[in-house]
Amino acid sequence: MGTWRCLLLFGGVSLRGGVAAAVPPRGCRALGCGRQLLGAEGEALKQRRTKIMSRGLPKQKPIEGVREIIVVASGKGGVGKSTTAVNLALALAANDSSKAVGLLDVDVYGPSIPKMMNLRGNPELSPNNLMRPLLNYGIACMSMGFLVEETEPLVWRGLMVMSAIEKLLRQVDWGQLDYLVVDMPPGTGDVQLSVSQNIPISGAVIVSTPQDIALMDAHKGAEMFRKVNVPVLGLVQNMSVFQCPKCKHKTHIFGADGARKLAQTLDLDVLGDVPLHLSIREASDLGQPVVFSRPGSDEAKAYLHIASEVVRRLKSSPE
């Protein structure tokens, strides 16, 4: 271990004997620090750290009444993750009307499910003091957006956010659901880890545009789920192509097949391509998702195909 690496990992502080003592940032003592940490003391320190970290991990506990949990995530915001989550939930129900589907929005700072699903109001409480989801288009929905005013910003620190996530996971009466689609916030931080460590997730769907900048973060998102032992079902390539409504010419505004190349790198499949289309944006803003409002359109068919691929992979995944 070189001098620079020793300093980067341990900040120029010796941990010998549990007492912090300054170490010169160069010379033999820094190199000796590296050799020492690679030896018996370093191994003991590693084992102790692992033991402390595992002690603080929550135990996974199923959500009562929910059979399969599917998280929809992205490393980056603005790639259409929430739109995908909403239309995926509707497509799961449309493909099989016998299945009960729920939609959980855990994007505490920027909840968009209430607007996209055209829902307002506060949840009622069950006799057990559990919140009852709001219902529209046959989908049971829960979001922080139902508990605060639409324009009210949540200026919360991490502990308050984690408390809110815990309530959304544990204090909702879902009844009996075949699928619960979870709309995750962008990134790979506290919320993603908390959700992944608290509940058994059947699979994750990663949403990205074909743009290189978005793909970099999508790569991180997929690797994060793998690190916490959540199976990644595949990638959705959103805004894949724009077709001019007049001349029908197709333009790859964000690049061509970027998500397919990433999927190949990660040894994953692309679940489907969703075009960049005005109707998807308009339907979402009106609270009438395209799978509901235009079920025969090519855009809706893209989501229906993605839903069928998700179900197929859930059935083929090991228990």
Side-chain angles (χ1 to χ4, degrees), residues 84-312:
T84 301
V86 166
N87 283 286
L88 173 61
L90 286 162
L92 288 168
N95 282 342
D96 189 344
S97 59
S98 69
K99 302 300 184 183
V101 182
L103 182 59
L104 174 60
D105 184 358
V106 295
D107 192 346
V108 171
Y109 290 117
S112 51
I113 297 305
K115 182 174 181 61
M116 289 187 176
M117 290 295 288
N118 195 26
L119 285 168
R120 293 177 182 81
N122 302 118
E124 296 180 355
L125 292 179
S126 71
N128 296 329
N129 280 330
L130 298 178
M131 294 181 288
R132 285 180 171 150
L134 277 64
L135 189 70
N136 200 11
Y137 309 128
I139 307 296
C141 302
M142 180 53 63
S143 169
M144 180 58 65
F146 299 146
L147 308 176
V148 297
E149 294 296 328
E150 183 177 351
T151 58
E152 180 183 346
L154 292 182
V155 189
W156 287 359
R157 293 188 182 274
L159 288 176
M160 297 177 70
V161 174
M162 292 302 101
S163 176
I165 295 298
E166 179 70 16
K167 288 178 171 58
L168 290 172
L169 292 177
R170 299 296 176 199
Q171 297 186 17
V172 179
D173 181 6
W174 291 104
Q176 297 297 315
L177 291 180
D178 294 285
Y179 303 111
L180 177 63
V181 178
V182 181
D183 181 21
M184 302 279 270
T188 55
D190 287 348
V191 174
Q192 287 81 3
L193 284 173
S194 181
V195 172
S196 301
Q197 292 171 351
N198 272 280
I199 58 176
I201 297 173
S202 303
V205 174
I206 308 296
V207 182
S208 179
T209 65
Q211 185 180 9
D212 288 347
I213 297 299
L215 292 167
M216 289 171 57
D217 290 333
H219 192 157
K220 295 175 185 176
E223 292 293 357
M224 185 275 293
F225 282 115
R226 284 176 166 173
K227 283 183 182 294
V228 293
N229 299 316
V230 172
V232 180
L233 301 177
L235 275 67
V236 170
Q237 183 164 249
N238 198 28
M239 307 181 199
S240 59
V241 65
F242 172 75
Q243 183 176 28
C244 176
K246 294 183 179 180
C247 70
K248 305 303 179 183
H249 176 72
K250 292 183 177 180
T251 304
H252 294 89
I253 294 175
F254 296 105
D257 289 332
R260 294 188 180 279
K261 295 171 185 174
L262 175 61
Q264 188 175 10
T265 301
L266 295 171
D267 194 23
L268 295 171
D269 294 322
V270 173
L271 302 172
D273 293 70
V274 180
L276 178 61
H277 201 286
L278 180 63
S279 65
I280 298 177
R281 195 274 301 166
E282 288 180 337
S284 297
D285 286 348
L286 291 172
Q288 299 177 355
V290 70
V291 169
F292 167 80
S293 58
R294 299 185 60 185
S297 66
D298 290 341
E299 306 84 74
K301 289 176 182 177
Y303 289 115
L304 293 167
H305 172 74
I306 291 167
S308 66
E309 288 296 306
V310 166
V311 172
R312 185 171 70 84

